[in-house]
Amino acid sequence: MNTGILVLGHGSTLPYNKELVETLSGMIADQGDVVVRTAFLNMDEPTLKQGLESFAGTGVDTIVALPIFLAHGVHTLEDIPQELELNEDKRAVTEIDGKSVDIVYADPLGADACIAELAYKRAEEALSR
Amino acid sequence: MNTGILVLGHGSTLPYNKELVETLSGMIADQGDVVVRTAFLNMDEPTLKQGLESFAGTGVDTIVALPIFLAHGVHTLEDIPQELELNEDKRAVTEIDGKSVDIVYADPLGADACIAELAYKRAEEALSR
């Protein structure tokens, strides 16, 4: 299987969300034999449509749409599924290079212990400034 | 020093952001000898003002305002500092139980390797469904 990951960011009028999503995308690409691209819901580009198109020439047959959001909300449950035309099973099929490509939709990050540890570290840093 | 952490969430019309922030707050409370409270910028309560007030009776002399946001953006650089009346050094002083209490402001989570690993795990889960 030739898998792609489309890393989805919120987007922002400021540069920091895009920088975060691009940095994380690089780290995600280092973790496996996958083709990684980025896209943004609002305010930044590539858009989701452009992000899907950017897999042209890569030969992927499956794309995981991976939202870099902490929790589910209107963006992950309504906006992204609508833009990707996901069915009730959180799947869709798109066409890239004249070939059918499956899209599957990942969950947001969630309340993992590593996020709590990272947040606690940020609190300690603020106290020591 | 008697330290409090005010864990700040975005808030949402759906319940998931509040659930995430409350779960993470519990995990953060388990990591140190701190008094942890939560507050939300939009749509959920306690508000930031209510969150500060909720340290009444705890005896804290410093509160870390800890944004559970992935990256800086308008919320962390404008909205929260304005609501907390932070100065240019990201600090403020408030009054709780008739006593001055320092507020310091932590950075958002940022592009940490643990977040990339968690995101990659979410992608793998989506592929195996």
Side-chain angles (χ1 to χ4, degrees):
Chain A
M1 195 167 74
N2 191 349
T3 303
I5 297 180
L6 184 59
V7 179
L8 303 177
H10 183 285
S12 173
T13 53
L14 295 172
Y16 311 109
N17 181 265
K18 187 168 185 177
E19 287 171 8
L20 171 109
V21 169
E22 288 176 344
T23 303
L24 289 175
S25 295
M27 292 176 177
I28 289 166
D30 290 341
Q31 286 182 67
D33 182 21
V34 286
V35 181
V36 176
R37 298 287 185 269
T38 59
F40 297 89
L41 195 54
N42 294 308
M43 295 172 278
D44 282 307
E45 295 196 337
T47 63
L48 268 61
K49 186 168 179 293
Q50 290 168 342
L52 289 176
E53 289 167 356
S54 71
F55 286 97
T58 64
V60 296
D61 47 37
T62 305
I63 295 171
V64 183
L66 176 61
I68 303 297
F69 286 70
L70 286 163
H72 270 308
V74 174
H75 292 317
T76 61
L77 292 174
E78 297 178 18
D79 301 340
I80 295 171
Q82 191 176 326
E83 283 226 37
L84 296 178
E85 301 180 34
L86 300 181
N87 65 21
E88 287 183 1
D89 293 329
K90 300 184 183 180
R91 290 173 166 271
V93 177
T94 190
E95 191 168 299
I96 295 173
D97 298 329
K99 201 181 68 172
S100 284
V101 174
D102 291 322
I103 300 174
V104 299
Y105 186 42
D107 285 330
L109 299 167
D112 193 271
C114 92
I115 293 182
E117 284 162 25
L118 187 55
Y120 192 78
K121 189 172 128 190
R122 296 288 173 255
E124 288 181 315
E125 289 165 357
L127 282 168
S128 65
R129 271 198 290 258
Chain B
M1 196 167 73
N2 193 348
T3 304
I5 298 180
L6 184 59
V7 179
L8 303 176
H10 183 285
S12 173
T13 53
L14 296 172
Y16 312 109
N17 181 264
K18 186 167 186 178
E19 287 171 7
L20 171 110
V21 169
E22 288 177 345
T23 302
L24 290 175
S25 295
M27 294 175 176
I28 289 166
D30 290 341
Q31 286 182 69
D33 182 21
V34 287
V35 180
V36 175
R37 298 287 184 268
T38 59
F40 296 88
L41 195 53
N42 294 308
M43 293 171 278
D44 282 307
E45 294 197 335
T47 63
L48 270 60
K49 186 168 178 296
Q50 289 167 342
L52 289 176
E53 288 167 356
S54 70
F55 285 98
T58 64
V60 297
D61 47 37
T62 305
I63 294 170
V64 183
L66 176 61
I68 303 296
F69 286 70
L70 286 163
H72 269 307
V74 174
H75 292 316
T76 61
L77 292 174
E78 296 178 20
D79 301 339
I80 294 171
Q82 191 175 325
E83 283 225 37
L84 296 179
E85 301 180 33
L86 300 181
N87 64 22
E88 287 184 1
D89 293 329
K90 299 184 184 178
R91 289 174 167 270
V93 177
T94 190
E95 191 167 301
I96 294 174
D97 298 329
K99 201 181 68 172
S100 283
V101 174
D102 291 324
I103 300 174
V104 300
Y105 187 42
D107 285 330
L109 298 167
D112 193 271
C114 91
I115 293 182
E117 284 162 25
L118 187 56
Y120 191 78
K121 189 172 126 189
R122 297 288 175 253
E124 288 180 316
E125 289 165 356
L127 281 169
S128 65
R129 271 197 290 258

